[in-house]
Amino acid sequence: MSFIQIGFLGALAALAIPIIIHLVFRQRAKKVELGTLRFLRVVLEHNARRRRVMRWLLLMLRLACVGVLAFLFARPYLLASRAAGEKQTVVVLIDQSATMELAQPDGARSIERAVSIVHDLVSKAGNNSRFEIAFFDHAIHPIFAPVMDAEKSKPRDPGRNEILTKLVAPEACHGGTDYGVALEWARDTLAKAPAGPRVLHILTDLQQSGLAWSEVDELPEDVTTHLHDLGRSAVSNLAVTEARPERSWLRPDEQTSLHVTVYNGSPFTANDLPVVLKLASSSSSTGGREITLREQMKIEPGTLESKRFDLPPLADGLWQGTVSIETEDDLPADNVRHVALLASKPYQVLLIDGRASASPVLSSTYFFESALRLAPAGELYSASPFEPRTIEPGDRLPDLTKVDVVVLSDLAEMDRSDVRALADFVKAGGGLLVFTGENVTAESTAELAAAGLTVGQVQGIQHATDLPIRLANWDSKHPIFAPFSDPQLGDLNRLSFTACTKIAPAADAQVLAKYRGGLPAVLERRVGKGSVVWFTSTCDRRWSDWIRSRLYLPLAYQLLGHQSGLSAGGRVRQEVLETQGVAVLPGMAPKVRPTGLSPGVQAQDGFTLVVNSSPRESETDRATAEEFANRFGLKIADDAVEMQVVQPQRAIAGTELVDSELWPWFAGLLLATLLAEGLVANRTAG
Amino acid sequence: MTFDPRTLADPVFFSRLDNLELRARGIVEGFMHGLHRSPFVGFSVEFASHREYAQGDDLRHVNWKLYSRTNRLYVKQFDAETNMNLYLLLDVSGSMDCRSKGVSKMEYGAALAAALAHLALKQHDAVGLILLADEVIEHIPPKARPHQLSEILRLISNTKPRKATSAARAFPQAAELCKHRGIVVVLSDLFDDLDSLMQGIERLRFQNHEVILFHLWDRYERDLPLEGHYKFHDLETGEILTTQADGVRDGYLAEVRKWQSELEIQCRNRSVDRVELVTDEPLDQALLDYLVRRAKSF
C-alpha cells in the first residue's frame, strides 16, 4: 500500500490526544466520602474484567478513529491487490518475430529491450508472484519446460534467479508473428494456474500482419492484460519477399527461371535498386561453379515489384544461393532470401514383376509402369517425377543405392539375399510398395515376413461373390489419401475389385484403407527409416478394372509419392517461418515443422530444405492497442500500453483520482469505528 | 406572611442551631403544632376522676356501671403516668460521619435522638442512651428525671465518631444494658454484617423490647446521584475506589435495593419496624413514624 498525500501520515501524532485526555481525566477525579463502599465494590468486582476489556477496547477504538482519519487523508492506494496467501500468476509473452530485430531509439534491438523490461518485472515482483515466460513468433517457446517437483508431485516454480539467468534475448529473430499461438498458450497456462490474481504481459511491436492468422478463445474473465508496445513508427524497410524458382528440381542441363519479388516498405521510391542473384554448385562434377545475376528495380512506396531471373542450364547437382537487395534499411534481415535448385534425375522406381509375360500387356506392372512413365514404352515424359525400371524375379537385383522406391507386383518368391538387400534398403530410408495377386500367399511371403517387410499375416484370397469388392473407408488425413478427402476430387468408392488378398494386420502395422466388410485394403508399416506399403489387390486388370478409372493415375502417384518423399515436398523443399504447421496441399493434414530452423539452405535426410523468414514480417505496419485488444478480446489494464516497466499509477499533485485508491474503504471504516466507539463508550463503566 | 412551624423540623435549619436542647425542643414543638390530635391521649392507665360525657368522647371510656345507677353518662379520666423505658441506641461509627450535604448522618441521628428523648421525657417516659460503634462506648441508664435530657444531650454533644463498626460485639453489650422491657430505638446506617446485626436485634427482641430501626442514609449513599469521574472514600476502612459514577449507578442501586430488601425481610421476620430516613428529609416524619408505631404497641 502506498499513499498519495503521505504528509498526512504526520497526523498520526494525534494518536496521543486520546491518551492525554485519558490521563488528564484520571487526575481530575473528585473525592466523595461514603459510609461504606461495600455496594460499589461488589459492582466494580463484578464488572472489573469486562470493564477493563471495554476500557482498552474503547481506547483502541478512539486511537483507531484518529489513525483511520490520518490514513483517510493520506489517500492510500494499492500497487496490486491480492488475497493473502494467494500467488499471483504472471504470464509473460515476448515477441521474438523478425521485426523485433528493429532497433529502438537508444540503439538496442527491440527484443533486447523487451527482455530488459521482463528482467525488471521479475526483479521488482513480490515473493508471491510466479512467472510463466515464453518467447513467441510463429510458435511458442517457453523458457522453462514444466519441471515436476518430486516431493509435492506438481510442477515446480523456477526461482527468480533461475528465471533471470535463463531469460536471454535470442541472437537473431527470424520467425513470423502468430499472436494466436502465443495467446492460446497463455490462456492454457493461466487456466492451469493456481488460485490467485492472474496477469498477462505482452511485449510486442503490435505488427498488423500478425493479427489475422488464427482465432483465439478469450482469456479468463479475471485476467488483466498489460500491453507493452515496443514497435517503431515510420520504419524504412525494403525486402525481398519472394524468390521462387519455376522448378526447384529439374533435370541436369535444364534451364529454368527465378521469380523475385521486392517490397518497398519505406516512404520513399526506391530507384535503381540493385537485386542480385547468386548461386553456387557444391557438386564436385561442376567444379564449384557460380552464377551471379544482377538486375535493377524501381519500386514505389508501399508496393511490390517482381523481376524474373532467367538461369542458364544447370549442371547436375545442388545449386544454392541467395537473392538480395543492395541497400541499407531499418530491417536488414529481410534483404536476403535463400534459394536452392537441384538438377538431378527423377525418382528411380524399381518394379519387380511377379507375372512376367512375353506380352507387356499381360505383365502385372505394365499399366503401373506406363502410368509412371507417362510416355510410350522406352520413353519418359520430361516432367515425370518418376523413372521406372522393371525387372523379373529371375533377374539379378540391381544396386539399390540409386533407387528411391521398389515396387513388388504379385511376386511369388524372392531370393533370400535379395530380400536381405531389400530390407537394408528400406531400413536406410527407401520406400517399398507391394501389390498382391494370385502369387502372394503365406508361403511365398515367408522370406519377406522374416525380413520384416510384410504388414501382417497373409491369409489367402478373398473373391467377390455377388457384389464387387469396393473400398469403403480410408484415412483421409494420411498423405496418401488426403487429396481424396473431398469426393468431388475423386471418389475412391467407385473403385471395384473382384478379389483381394486377406491380411491379418501386424500389431505395428497401420491400416490406411479398408474394403467393405472390413478387410484391409492399404496397410503401412514403418521399418527403420523407411516404410512398407501394401495394396491388397493387383495393379493390373487381373482382379480389377481400376486401371481404366481416372483415379488410377492419381492413386498410383500418391502411393509412390508417399514412398519416395515426393508428397512431403520432394528433394528440394521450401519452408517459410510463419506458421507452426504447414499444409502440404489443400485438405491435407499439416506437417509439423522441425523446430530450431533458421533461414538458410540445410541438408536434411533425403532432401534439401530451403528456409526463409515470412514475407509478412517485412510489412511493418502496426496495429493500435485497441485493435489488438479487440481482435483477441483482451481486457487491457488502463495503465497497460507502456514503453516502460509497469509502474503504479500516481496522481500528480494528489488531485487526480487513482483507480486503486482505498479512501472509500477507509471512510467506511472510520464511520464504523465511530459507531463502535459510541456503543462501547455508552456501555463502559468508567 | 404566616409562620409555618413545621419549617422548624427542617434538618438544615436545626443543624445551624448550636444548642442541642433547643434543637430538640424546636423539633418536638414544631412537630406537635402540626398534629390535630393529641398524641398523649390514652398513654397512661392510672384512673384520676370522672367527668360528664361530651360528644366525641371515646365510648370505651364511658363508665357503664355509673350510668346504670345514675342513668347519666360519665367518662373516666386517667392520670398521665409512664411505665415505658425508651432506649436510644445511637451509632457513632465512622460511617455515620458521611455528609454529602449540610448534615451528616451522625448529626441527623443525634438531633433525632435528642428529639425523641425530649418527647419521651415530656410524657414522663424513662429515657436512656447508648452510644455504640465497634462496642458500647458510653451509656446513660433510662430515667424519667427532668434533668435526664440534659445529660443525654451532653453525652451526644461530646461524642466523636469512631472508625469501626461491629454489631456482633456492640449489640450484645447494649442488650445487656437494656434490662427492663421497653422500646429500643436504633439510630444507625446499619452498615455491618447483616447476620451479626440481626443476631443483636434478635437478642433485644428476646428481651421483649419493641425495636424500631431508624435506618439513616445519606443521599449519596442511597441514590448515588453523581455524574462523572469520582474517587470514593470509605470513611471506616479508608479504602478508595475511583470510577465513573454514572457508569456504575445502575449496578450500585441494584446492590443497595437488594440489601434493603434483605434487611426488610429480616426485620419483618423479627417484627422490627425499620424506618428509612435520608439526611435531607424533615425529621418530623421520623417522629411521626415513631409515635404511630408506639401507639400501635399499646
Side-chain angles (χ1 to χ4, degrees):
Chain A
M1 188 165 63
S2 298
F3 301 92
I4 294 169
Q5 301 285 3
I6 200 161
F8 274 99
L9 288 181
L12 286 173
L15 285 173
I17 292 174
I19 299 170
I20 292 169
I21 289 173
H22 176 72
L23 294 174
V24 167
F25 274 103
R26 276 176 69 91
Q27 290 168 353
R28 288 186 180 174
K30 287 170 274 187
K31 185 178 178 182
V32 169
E33 291 180 337
L34 294 181
T36 183
L37 298 183
R38 57 196 292 180
F39 308 116
L40 199 57
R41 195 184 308 115
V42 171
V43 177
L44 293 180
E45 282 173 2
H46 181 68
N47 294 337
R49 186 182 179 83
R50 177 178 162 272
R51 201 175 60 254
R52 198 176 302 122
V53 172
M54 293 293 270
R55 275 182 176 179
W56 279 110
L57 181 62
L58 189 61
L59 179 62
M60 289 299 110
L61 283 171
R62 286 170 178 168
L63 291 173
C65 285
V66 178
V68 171
L69 198 62
F71 271 77
L72 177 62
F73 279 99
R75 294 177 62 186
Y77 64 94
L78 289 180
L79 289 176
S81 58
R82 66 194 58 163
E86 288 184 340
K87 273 203 165 187
Q88 176 182 239
T89 301
V90 183
V91 172
V92 182
L93 294 174
I94 307 171
D95 187 352
Q96 65 161 15
S97 63
T99 47
M100 291 297 279
E101 284 287 329
L102 281 170
Q104 292 285 310
D106 59 1
R109 294 186 302 151
S110 296
I111 185 68
E112 289 169 349
R113 181 66 180 278
V115 169
S116 163
I117 290 173
V118 179
H119 265 272
D120 282 352
L121 274 177
V122 174
S123 303
K124 293 178 181 175
N127 289 329
N128 58 347
S129 294
R130 54 181 294 275
F131 282 84
E132 298 272 2
I133 303 173
F135 290 97
F136 74 94
D137 39 33
H138 54 277
I140 192 79
H141 312 281
I143 65 168
F144 282 103
V147 179
M148 295 300 286
D149 189 328
E151 292 181 3
K152 298 179 181 175
S153 299
K154 63 179 184 181
R156 178 179 66 85
D157 292 334
R160 191 170 303 183
N161 291 334
E162 210 175 340
I163 292 173
L164 293 176
T165 308
K166 191 88 174 179
L167 187 60
V168 180
E171 288 181 4
C173 301
H174 33 66
T177 306
D178 189 346
Y179 291 115
V181 172
L183 288 169
E184 199 170 346
W185 177 83
R187 188 201 60 209
D188 292 347
T189 306
L190 288 164
K192 291 176 200 163
R198 294 180 284 186
V199 180
L200 171 63
H201 287 270
I202 305 173
L203 297 96
T204 180
D205 55 4
L206 294 176
Q207 194 177 0
Q208 180 89 43
S209 60
L211 298 184
W213 287 32
S214 52
E215 292 299 327
V216 179
D217 292 336
E218 290 193 0
L219 296 174
E221 282 284 325
D222 59 333
V223 174
T224 307
T225 304
H226 296 262
L227 198 55
H228 304 256
D229 183 2
L230 296 161
R232 272 183 54 186
S233 55
V235 175
S236 176
N237 185 37
L238 288 155
V240 181
T241 56
E242 185 186 39
R244 175 176 54 82
E246 286 180 352
R247 293 166 63 196
S248 57
W249 177 29
L250 58 164
R251 303 285 181 266
D253 299 322
E254 205 171 12
Q255 191 270 331
T256 189
S257 300
L258 192 76
H259 295 270
V260 174
T261 304
V262 180
Y263 169 69
N264 182 4
S266 73
F268 308 105
T269 303
N271 290 311
D272 303 328
L273 179 68
V275 183
V276 181
L277 166 65
K278 290 182 179 175
L279 284 176
S281 172
S282 58
S283 170
S284 56
S285 61
T286 57
R289 187 183 162 194
E290 287 184 3
I291 299 172
T292 302
L293 299 174
R294 184 180 293 268
E295 294 283 351
Q296 288 190 332
M297 296 175 76
K298 178 184 178 183
I299 313 170
E300 296 297 326
T303 60
L304 298 162
E305 288 293 335
S306 294
K307 182 71 78 179
R308 193 180 78 179
F309 287 83
D310 293 324
L311 299 174
L314 299 176
D316 189 13
L318 178 67
W319 294 80
Q320 63 183 64
T322 59
V323 176
S324 61
I325 50 175
E326 294 180 342
T327 184
E328 289 184 359
D329 60 3
D330 292 333
L331 192 60
D334 60 2
N335 292 356
V336 178
R337 206 152 187 87
H338 299 275
V339 291
L341 297 99
L342 179 66
S344 72
K345 290 180 177 179
Y347 286 115
Q348 297 298 303
V349 179
L350 179 65
L351 304 174
I352 304 177
D353 194 339
R355 264 188 289 108
S357 169
S359 166
V361 180
L362 294 176
S363 75
S364 66
T365 59
Y366 174 77
F367 295 103
F368 195 76
E369 183 186 355
S370 300
L372 301 182
R373 198 178 291 280
L374 295 174
E379 297 179 24
L380 180 68
Y381 175 53
S382 61
S384 173
F386 303 109
E387 183 177 345
R389 176 188 168 198
T390 304
I391 63 169
E392 296 175 3
D395 294 344
R396 184 179 175 81
L397 195 65
D399 180 13
L400 294 179
T401 55
K402 294 188 177 179
V403 173
D404 297 292
V405 181
V406 174
V407 178
L408 307 182
S409 176
D410 197 13
L411 186 65
E413 285 183 356
M414 200 170 180
D415 186 69
R416 181 172 294 177
S417 61
D418 290 347
V419 170
R420 197 176 301 121
L422 194 56
D424 293 340
F425 163 74
V426 175
K427 286 174 185 171
L432 176 62
L433 177 62
V434 179
F435 291 96
T436 61
E438 292 166 349
N439 295 329
V440 177
T441 60
E443 294 76 23
S444 66
T445 56
E447 288 292 338
L448 287 174
L453 298 178
T454 55
V455 291
Q457 179 67 39
V458 177
Q459 295 176 324
I461 298 170
Q462 175 75 38
H463 291 279
T465 53
D466 50 344
L467 290 174
I469 299 170
R470 292 184 185 275
L471 285 174
N473 52 63
W474 51 90
D475 182 3
S476 59
K477 291 181 180 177
H478 193 276
I480 294 176
F481 295 104
F484 306 104
S485 58
D486 183 357
Q488 291 187 3
L489 297 176
D491 186 3
L492 293 179
N493 286 307
R494 299 173 69 87
L495 299 180
S496 62
F497 303 88
T498 57
C500 69
T501 304
K502 290 194 289 184
I503 294 178
D508 56 345
Q510 185 184 3
V511 179
L512 305 180
K514 288 181 181 177
Y515 300 110
R516 286 177 190 168
L519 286 176
V522 182
L523 303 96
E524 183 181 23
R525 185 181 187 183
R526 300 295 304 176
V527 179
K529 292 181 180 178
S531 73
V532 179
V533 171
W534 280 52
F535 192 97
T536 59
S537 190
T538 59
C539 59
D540 61 0
R541 301 184 64 185
R542 186 64 61 97
W543 282 358
S544 171
D545 205 22
W546 70 305
I547 56 166
R548 298 175 60 191
S549 167
R550 63 188 180 96
L551 291 171
Y552 181 75
L553 196 63
L555 186 54
Y557 269 66
Q558 281 303 115
L559 288 166
L560 267 184
H562 176 63
Q563 289 302 81
S564 62
L566 181 64
S567 300
R571 284 176 170 161
V572 178
R573 303 178 189 179
Q574 307 288 335
E575 289 289 356
V576 176
L577 301 174
E578 61 181 12
T579 54
Q580 204 163 18
V582 176
V584 179
L585 285 171
M588 287 181 67
K591 64 187 177 64
V592 177
R593 180 193 309 282
T595 56
L597 292 179
S598 57
V601 178
Q602 301 167 15
Q604 300 285 333
D605 192 11
F607 61 94
T608 299
L609 186 64
V610 182
V611 182
N612 281 297
S613 57
S614 169
R616 294 175 191 248
E617 285 300 301
S618 301
E619 299 168 17
T620 55
D621 294 341
R622 299 174 63 240
T624 64
E626 280 184 0
E627 285 173 341
F628 187 86
N630 293 337
R631 170 68 181 81
F632 298 109
L634 303 178
K635 292 183 177 61
I636 302 289
D638 292 341
D639 58 340
V641 182
E642 299 169 346
M643 286 295 291
Q644 301 296 327
V645 179
V646 178
Q647 292 288 346
Q649 193 180 358
R650 286 186 181 280
I652 300 165
T655 54
E656 296 81 9
L657 191 65
V658 177
D659 288 343
S660 57
E661 272 199 55
L662 299 174
W663 70 262
W665 293 99
F666 275 86
L669 183 61
L670 179 63
L671 193 62
T673 312
L674 285 172
L675 286 172
E677 193 273 342
L679 281 173
V680 174
N682 285 336
R683 291 164 191 269
T684 304
Chain B
M1 192 174 75
T2 54
F3 170 68
D4 181 4
R6 291 178 64 87
T7 56
L8 291 173
D10 179 21
V12 177
F13 169 75
F14 280 112
S15 69
R16 287 196 289 268
L17 298 179
D18 288 335
N19 190 321
L20 190 58
E21 184 178 359
L22 180 62
R23 217 189 297 173
R25 189 168 294 153
I27 292 166
V28 173
E29 297 303 326
F31 166 69
M32 289 175 67
H33 270 90
L35 295 178
H36 296 287
R37 189 176 172 188
S38 169
F40 299 99
V41 176
F43 279 11
S44 297
V45 293
E46 199 68 29
F47 176 73
S49 63
H50 286 97
R51 68 168 171 82
E52 209 164 356
Y53 173 78
Q55 193 174 354
D57 283 344
D58 193 339
L59 288 176
R60 289 182 300 177
H61 297 153
V62 173
N63 190 334
W64 296 106
K65 287 181 180 175
L66 193 59
Y67 171 73
S68 64
R69 288 202 302 270
T70 63
N71 204 27
R72 293 171 69 104
L73 286 172
Y74 291 94
V75 293
K76 297 174 188 172
Q77 284 191 314
F78 301 91
D79 281 338
E81 184 181 289
T82 183
N83 59 353
M84 187 66 66
N85 291 314
L86 174 62
Y87 299 96
L88 296 170
L89 271 60
L90 179 59
D91 183 0
V92 293
S93 64
S95 62
M96 291 293 284
D97 202 25
C98 179
R99 181 202 311 266
S100 64
K101 291 177 183 175
V103 186
S104 71
K105 286 188 288 185
M106 179 83 175
E107 290 166 345
Y108 191 92
L112 185 55
L116 286 170
H118 180 72
L119 188 63
L121 286 170
K122 282 192 78 170
Q123 297 175 84
H124 309 291
D125 286 342
V127 179
L129 176 66
I130 300 171
L131 301 181
L132 44 82
D134 53 337
E135 59 183 359
V136 171
I137 297 163
E138 292 283 351
H139 85 283
I140 297 172
K143 287 179 183 170
R145 295 176 307 184
H147 61 273
Q148 181 74 353
L149 181 60
S150 57
E151 280 191 30
I152 289 172
L153 295 178
R154 182 182 49 78
L155 183 59
I156 291 173
S157 304
N158 294 333
T159 302
K160 299 292 178 193
R162 294 276 287 257
K163 275 291 173 190
T165 306
S166 176
R169 216 172 129 196
F171 270 77
Q173 290 178 358
E176 290 288 327
L177 298 171
C178 301
K179 291 177 181 170
H180 303 288
R181 178 179 171 273
I183 296 176
V184 176
V185 174
V186 180
L187 300 127
S188 170
D189 53 14
L190 306 178
F191 289 152
D192 203 341
D193 178 54
L194 190 57
D195 292 337
S196 305
L197 191 66
M198 284 302 136
Q199 280 176 10
I201 288 171
E202 214 159 81
R203 175 81 182 270
L204 293 169
R205 289 290 295 144
F206 181 74
Q207 290 175 295
N208 284 325
H209 292 298
E210 196 69 29
V211 179
I212 300 173
L213 287 180
F214 281 109
H215 188 180
L216 305 181
W217 283 100
D218 185 86
R219 178 62 67 188
Y220 280 10
E221 289 175 342
R222 203 182 76 156
D223 298 333
L224 200 67
L226 300 170
E227 299 279 342
H229 206 56
Y230 282 90
K231 190 185 285 183
F232 293 97
H233 182 231
D234 191 317
L235 286 167
E236 288 190 3
T237 63
E239 182 185 3
I240 291 174
L241 290 176
T242 304
T243 187
Q244 199 76 19
D246 40 349
V248 297
R249 183 184 300 118
D250 291 344
Y252 181 88
L253 294 180
E255 283 298 315
V256 169
R257 302 287 177 265
K258 183 180 164 191
W259 184 66
Q260 284 174 317
S261 173
E262 286 178 13
L263 196 59
E264 184 63 30
I265 291 167
Q266 296 287 342
C267 289
R268 199 172 295 162
N269 290 344
R270 292 164 179 81
S271 301
V272 172
D273 288 325
R274 188 179 71 94
V275 180
E276 282 199 3
L277 297 170
V278 184
T279 55
D280 56 359
E281 289 177 348
L283 284 161
D284 59 342
Q285 186 62 40
L287 290 177
L288 180 61
D289 287 338
Y290 162 69
L291 293 175
V292 168
R293 280 170 176 76
R294 189 176 184 280
K296 282 181 184 173
S297 67
F298 287 97

